[in-house]
PDB file of all heavy atoms in Angstrom:
ATOM      1  N   PRO A 447     -36.223  -4.659  12.491  1.00  0.00           N
ATOM      2  CA  PRO A 447     -35.508  -3.407  12.726  1.00  0.00           C
ATOM      3  C   PRO A 447     -35.998  -2.442  11.582  1.00  0.00           C
ATOM      4  O   PRO A 447     -36.539  -2.767  10.621  1.00  0.00           O
ATOM      5  CB  PRO A 447     -34.110  -3.783  12.500  1.00  0.00           C
ATOM      6  CG  PRO A 447     -34.155  -4.979  11.721  1.00  0.00           C
ATOM      7  CD  PRO A 447     -35.351  -5.803  12.068  1.00  0.00           C
ATOM      8  N   THR A 448     -35.768  -1.167  11.901  1.00  0.00           N
ATOM      9  CA  THR A 448     -36.044  -0.144  10.815  1.00  0.00           C
ATOM     10  C   THR A 448     -34.749   0.531  10.383  1.00  0.00           C
ATOM     11  O   THR A 448     -34.791   1.175   9.194  1.00  0.00           O
ATOM     12  CB  THR A 448     -36.946   0.968  11.581  1.00  0.00           C
ATOM     13  OG1 THR A 448     -36.277   1.439  12.730  1.00  0.00           O
ATOM     14  CG2 THR A 448     -38.293   0.339  11.909  1.00  0.00           C
ATOM     15  N   GLY A 449     -33.777   0.497  11.055  1.00  0.00           N
ATOM     16  CA  GLY A 449     -32.461   1.059  10.704  1.00  0.00           C
ATOM     17  C   GLY A 449     -31.876   0.393   9.432  1.00  0.00           C
ATOM     18  O   GLY A 449     -31.978  -0.772   9.243  1.00  0.00           O
ATOM     19  N   GLU A 450     -31.307   1.296   8.461  1.00  0.00           N
ATOM     20  CA  GLU A 450     -30.790   0.734   7.215  1.00  0.00           C
ATOM     21  C   GLU A 450     -29.694  -0.332   7.461  1.00  0.00           C
ATOM     22  O   GLU A 450     -29.590  -1.351   6.922  1.00  0.00           O
ATOM     23  CB  GLU A 450     -30.302   1.860   6.293  1.00  0.00           C
ATOM     24  CG  GLU A 450     -29.728   1.521   5.027  1.00  0.00           C
ATOM     25  CD  GLU A 450     -30.760   0.850   4.003  1.00  0.00           C
ATOM     26  OE1 GLU A 450     -31.989   1.210   4.236  1.00  0.00           O
ATOM     27  OE2 GLU A 450     -30.375   0.113   3.250  1.00  0.00           O
ATOM     28  N   ALA A 451     -28.718   0.111   8.479  1.00  0.00           N
ATOM     29  CA  ALA A 451     -27.691  -0.873   8.700  1.00  0.00           C
ATOM     30  C   ALA A 451     -28.064  -2.224   9.277  1.00  0.00           C
ATOM     31  O   ALA A 451     -27.616  -3.207   8.772  1.00  0.00           O
ATOM     32  CB  ALA A 451     -26.664  -0.225   9.678  1.00  0.00           C
ATOM     33  N   ASP A 452     -29.124  -2.085  10.197  1.00  0.00           N
ATOM     34  CA  ASP A 452     -29.667  -3.340  10.671  1.00  0.00           C
ATOM     35  C   ASP A 452     -30.296  -4.214   9.701  1.00  0.00           C
ATOM     36  O   ASP A 452     -30.127  -5.442   9.628  1.00  0.00           O
ATOM     37  CB  ASP A 452     -30.630  -3.085  11.833  1.00  0.00           C
ATOM     38  CG  ASP A 452     -29.968  -2.425  13.084  1.00  0.00           C
ATOM     39  OD1 ASP A 452     -28.786  -2.677  13.333  1.00  0.00           O
ATOM     40  OD2 ASP A 452     -30.560  -1.613  13.777  1.00  0.00           O
ATOM     41  N   LEU A 453     -31.180  -3.572   8.783  1.00  0.00           N
ATOM     42  CA  LEU A 453     -31.784  -4.314   7.644  1.00  0.00           C
ATOM     43  C   LEU A 453     -30.767  -4.838   6.735  1.00  0.00           C
ATOM     44  O   LEU A 453     -30.986  -5.995   6.230  1.00  0.00           O
ATOM     45  CB  LEU A 453     -32.753  -3.412   7.081  1.00  0.00           C
ATOM     46  CG  LEU A 453     -34.012  -3.094   7.866  1.00  0.00           C
ATOM     47  CD1 LEU A 453     -34.872  -2.002   7.129  1.00  0.00           C
ATOM     48  CD2 LEU A 453     -34.913  -4.342   7.981  1.00  0.00           C
ATOM     49  N   ARG A 454     -29.744  -4.077   6.489  1.00  0.00           N
ATOM     50  CA  ARG A 454     -28.846  -4.562   5.609  1.00  0.00           C
ATOM     51  C   ARG A 454     -27.965  -5.881   5.974  1.00  0.00           C
ATOM     52  O   ARG A 454     -27.889  -6.807   5.409  1.00  0.00           O
ATOM     53  CB  ARG A 454     -27.720  -3.504   5.339  1.00  0.00           C
ATOM     54  CG  ARG A 454     -26.647  -3.871   4.318  1.00  0.00           C
ATOM     55  CD  ARG A 454     -25.739  -2.603   4.042  1.00  0.00           C
ATOM     56  NE  ARG A 454     -24.681  -2.927   3.186  1.00  0.00           N
ATOM     57  CZ  ARG A 454     -23.469  -3.472   3.514  1.00  0.00           C
ATOM     58  NH1 ARG A 454     -23.207  -3.708   4.802  1.00  0.00           N
ATOM     59  NH2 ARG A 454     -22.449  -3.742   2.634  1.00  0.00           N
ATOM     60  N   ARG A 455     -27.687  -5.704   7.357  1.00  0.00           N
ATOM     61  CA  ARG A 455     -26.995  -6.948   8.095  1.00  0.00           C
ATOM     62  C   ARG A 455     -28.030  -8.126   8.058  1.00  0.00           C
ATOM     63  O   ARG A 455     -27.687  -9.235   7.814  1.00  0.00           O
ATOM     64  CB  ARG A 455     -26.692  -6.702   9.514  1.00  0.00           C
ATOM     65  CG  ARG A 455     -25.982  -7.721  10.180  1.00  0.00           C
ATOM     66  CD  ARG A 455     -25.550  -7.246  11.585  1.00  0.00           C
ATOM     67  NE  ARG A 455     -26.679  -6.936  12.380  1.00  0.00           N
ATOM     68  CZ  ARG A 455     -27.059  -5.710  12.788  1.00  0.00           C
ATOM     69  NH1 ARG A 455     -26.258  -4.712  12.469  1.00  0.00           N
ATOM     70  NH2 ARG A 455     -28.091  -5.511  13.540  1.00  0.00           N
ATOM     71  N   LEU A 456     -29.217  -7.894   8.274  1.00  0.00           N
ATOM     72  CA  LEU A 456     -30.265  -8.988   8.307  1.00  0.00           C
ATOM     73  C   LEU A 456     -30.513  -9.544   6.966  1.00  0.00           C
ATOM     74  O   LEU A 456     -30.535 -10.783   6.817  1.00  0.00           O
ATOM     75  CB  LEU A 456     -31.627  -8.411   8.841  1.00  0.00           C
ATOM     76  CG  LEU A 456     -32.655  -9.433   9.137  1.00  0.00           C
ATOM     77  CD1 LEU A 456     -32.261 -10.388  10.138  1.00  0.00           C
ATOM     78  CD2 LEU A 456     -33.935  -8.650   9.737  1.00  0.00           C
ATOM     79  N   GLY A 457     -30.622  -8.680   5.963  1.00  0.00           N
ATOM     80  CA  GLY A 457     -30.695  -9.260   4.622  1.00  0.00           C
ATOM     81  C   GLY A 457     -29.516 -10.044   4.128  1.00  0.00           C
ATOM     82  O   GLY A 457     -29.687 -11.143   3.613  1.00  0.00           O
ATOM     83  N   ARG A 458     -28.310  -9.685   4.430  1.00  0.00           N
ATOM     84  CA  ARG A 458     -27.032 -10.442   4.112  1.00  0.00           C
ATOM     85  C   ARG A 458     -27.013 -11.755   4.893  1.00  0.00           C
ATOM     86  O   ARG A 458     -26.581 -12.698   4.348  1.00  0.00           O
ATOM     87  CB  ARG A 458     -25.895  -9.553   4.302  1.00  0.00           C
ATOM     88  CG  ARG A 458     -25.661  -8.361   3.319  1.00  0.00           C
ATOM     89  CD  ARG A 458     -24.533  -7.510   3.730  1.00  0.00           C
ATOM     90  NE  ARG A 458     -23.156  -8.249   3.905  1.00  0.00           N
ATOM     91  CZ  ARG A 458     -22.387  -8.483   2.900  1.00  0.00           C
ATOM     92  NH1 ARG A 458     -22.705  -8.032   1.580  1.00  0.00           N
ATOM     93  NH2 ARG A 458     -21.193  -9.180   3.004  1.00  0.00           N
ATOM     94  N   ALA A 459     -27.447 -11.689   6.033  1.00  0.00           N
ATOM     95  CA  ALA A 459     -27.623 -12.908   6.789  1.00  0.00           C
ATOM     96  C   ALA A 459     -28.404 -14.043   6.197  1.00  0.00           C
ATOM     97  O   ALA A 459     -28.207 -15.147   6.389  1.00  0.00           O
ATOM     98  CB  ALA A 459     -28.053 -12.628   8.311  1.00  0.00           C
ATOM     99  N   LEU A 460     -29.410 -13.494   5.456  1.00  0.00           N
ATOM    100  CA  LEU A 460     -30.309 -14.476   4.760  1.00  0.00           C
ATOM    101  C   LEU A 460     -29.886 -14.710   3.324  1.00  0.00           C
ATOM    102  O   LEU A 460     -30.643 -15.343   2.617  1.00  0.00           O
ATOM    103  CB  LEU A 460     -31.801 -13.971   4.769  1.00  0.00           C
ATOM    104  CG  LEU A 460     -32.537 -14.629   6.005  1.00  0.00           C
ATOM    105  CD1 LEU A 460     -32.135 -13.959   7.243  1.00  0.00           C
ATOM    106  CD2 LEU A 460     -34.049 -14.338   5.875  1.00  0.00           C
ATOM    107  N   GLY A 461     -28.696 -14.358   2.983  1.00  0.00           N
ATOM    108  CA  GLY A 461     -28.213 -14.593   1.688  1.00  0.00           C
ATOM    109  C   GLY A 461     -28.384 -13.606   0.598  1.00  0.00           C
ATOM    110  O   GLY A 461     -28.124 -13.836  -0.502  1.00  0.00           O
ATOM    111  N   HIS A 462     -29.050 -12.398   0.934  1.00  0.00           N
ATOM    112  CA  HIS A 462     -29.395 -11.456  -0.094  1.00  0.00           C
ATOM    113  C   HIS A 462     -28.083 -10.489  -0.244  1.00  0.00           C
ATOM    114  O   HIS A 462     -27.526  -9.928   0.781  1.00  0.00           O
ATOM    115  CB  HIS A 462     -30.543 -10.516   0.385  1.00  0.00           C
ATOM    116  CG  HIS A 462     -31.791 -11.217   0.559  1.00  0.00           C
ATOM    117  ND1 HIS A 462     -32.422 -11.884  -0.540  1.00  0.00           N
ATOM    118  CD2 HIS A 462     -32.530 -11.623   1.532  1.00  0.00           C
ATOM    119  CE1 HIS A 462     -33.598 -12.526  -0.072  1.00  0.00           C
ATOM    120  NE2 HIS A 462     -33.596 -12.323   1.246  1.00  0.00           N
ATOM    121  N   ARG A 463     -27.639 -10.336  -1.444  1.00  0.00           N
ATOM    122  CA  ARG A 463     -26.514  -9.529  -1.701  1.00  0.00           C
ATOM    123  C   ARG A 463     -26.810  -8.323  -2.468  1.00  0.00           C
ATOM    124  O   ARG A 463     -26.183  -7.311  -2.380  1.00  0.00           O
ATOM    125  CB  ARG A 463     -25.394 -10.333  -2.404  1.00  0.00           C
ATOM    126  CG  ARG A 463     -24.707 -11.453  -1.560  1.00  0.00           C
ATOM    127  CD  ARG A 463     -23.896 -10.733  -0.444  1.00  0.00           C
ATOM    128  NE  ARG A 463     -23.317 -11.781   0.408  1.00  0.00           N
ATOM    129  CZ  ARG A 463     -23.779 -12.231   1.547  1.00  0.00           C
ATOM    130  NH1 ARG A 463     -24.929 -11.803   1.944  1.00  0.00           N
ATOM    131  NH2 ARG A 463     -23.126 -13.079   2.278  1.00  0.00           N
TER     132      ARG A 463
END
Side-chain angles (χ1 to χ4, degrees):
T448 56
E450 180 66 24
D452 292 329
L453 286 171
R454 181 175 180 272
R455 181 179 61 253
L456 187 59
R458 286 174 59 86
L460 265 70
H462 299 294
R463 289 295 181 266

